[in-house]
Amino acid sequence: MILNLLLAFFGEVMKIYCEAVHGLAMDMADKLTRSRMGLSSGRFGDWACQLGMSKYSFIPETVGSTGVQLHADTGFLAILQADDGVSGLEVMDKSGSFVPIAHWPGTFVVNLGDVAVACSNGRLCNVKHRVRCKEGRVRVSMGTFVLAPKEAAIEAPDEFVDAEHPRLYAPFTFTDYRKLQSV
C-alpha cells in the first residue's frame, strides 16, 4: 500500500517536472532560433522530445574511469540536470582538451547537438562531451532532449544557403540519421 502511494507520488512529481522542463526546452529552442538564427518562432511544436535518466554507480576503484564515452548529442538541444553533489561532466574544447563543467546547484547545462548544426547550415556548433568518475559515489543526472521533427526532413532554411554558404548537409530525417549512428 505505501509503495503504491510512493510510486503514484513519484509519477506525479515526474509528470510535473517533465511538463516544466519540456516547456523550458521549447522556449529555449525558440529563442535560440529567433536570436541566433533570425528565424520566426513556432518551429518546434511537432518536434519529438525525450527524457533520459542516468545513474552511475561509481565506487572508489572506478575514479578516473569513463561513465559515458565521448559523444555529441544527435538532436537539436539538450538540457541536463546533474547531481547536485557529484561532478563528472566534461566537454572537449577546440584544441581537443577536456574541460570539467562545474555544477552549480539549481542550474541546468544546455548544449546543442547535430541537428542544430544541420539546421543552421553550420552556423551553430555542437559540443562533444563525456562523463568521468571523479569520486566513488553514485551520480545521477537527467536530460531533456529536443530531438527533431517527428517526420519532416531536417535541412537548413533557404535563408542560410547562398553562394558564400553552400548547403553543407543534404536533407535527412531524424529516423534515418539515428539508424546511421547505430551502425
Side-chain angles (χ1 to χ4, degrees):
M1 178 71 159
I2 293 176
L3 179 60
N4 287 341
L5 290 173
L6 288 174
L7 289 174
F9 176 73
F10 178 75
E12 284 301 310
V13 169
M14 287 306 299
K15 180 181 176 190
I16 292 167
Y17 176 86
C18 289
E19 288 172 354
V21 176
H22 179 263
L24 175 65
M26 292 291 114
D27 188 48
M28 290 181 79
D30 190 59
K31 286 179 178 169
L32 177 67
T33 57
R34 285 188 288 127
S35 67
R36 299 294 297 164
M37 297 169 67
L39 300 174
S40 61
S41 61
R43 297 178 167 272
F44 299 98
D46 67 339
W47 284 41
C49 292
Q50 180 178 332
L51 173 72
M53 299 173 74
S54 298
K55 177 184 175 188
Y56 309 92
S57 297
F58 293 138
I59 58 175
E61 293 78 22
T62 60
V63 171
S65 67
T66 301
V68 172
Q69 297 294 327
L70 179 66
H71 69 284
D73 294 330
T74 55
F76 184 84
L77 176 135
I79 298 177
L80 307 173
Q81 182 176 13
D83 192 307
D84 282 344
V86 183
S87 63
L89 180 63
E90 298 177 341
V91 298
M92 181 185 283
D93 67 15
K94 290 181 180 181
S95 74
S97 298
F98 289 99
V99 178
I101 301 299
H103 178 71
W104 294 359
T107 64
F108 295 105
V109 172
V110 178
N111 64 37
L112 301 177
D114 297 340
V115 170
V117 176
C119 286
S120 68
N121 204 34
R123 286 172 170 80
L124 299 174
C125 62
N126 58 7
V127 60
K128 291 184 178 179
H129 55 284
R130 67 182 184 186
V131 174
R132 301 279 290 181
C133 175
K134 301 292 184 179
E135 57 186 291
R137 292 178 42 199
V138 171
R139 180 182 190 275
V140 178
S141 65
M142 295 192 333
T144 301
F145 304 90
V146 177
L147 300 176
K150 291 179 182 171
E151 297 186 23
I154 298 163
E155 63 181 319
D158 291 337
E159 300 96 275
F160 290 168
V161 180
D162 56 33
E164 292 180 31
H165 303 95
R167 187 172 301 280
L168 298 176
Y169 307 96
F172 61 93
T173 65
F174 191 65
T175 300
D176 290 340
Y177 184 63
R178 293 291 289 261
K179 287 177 186 174
L180 284 174
Q181 292 291 313
S182 65
V183 174

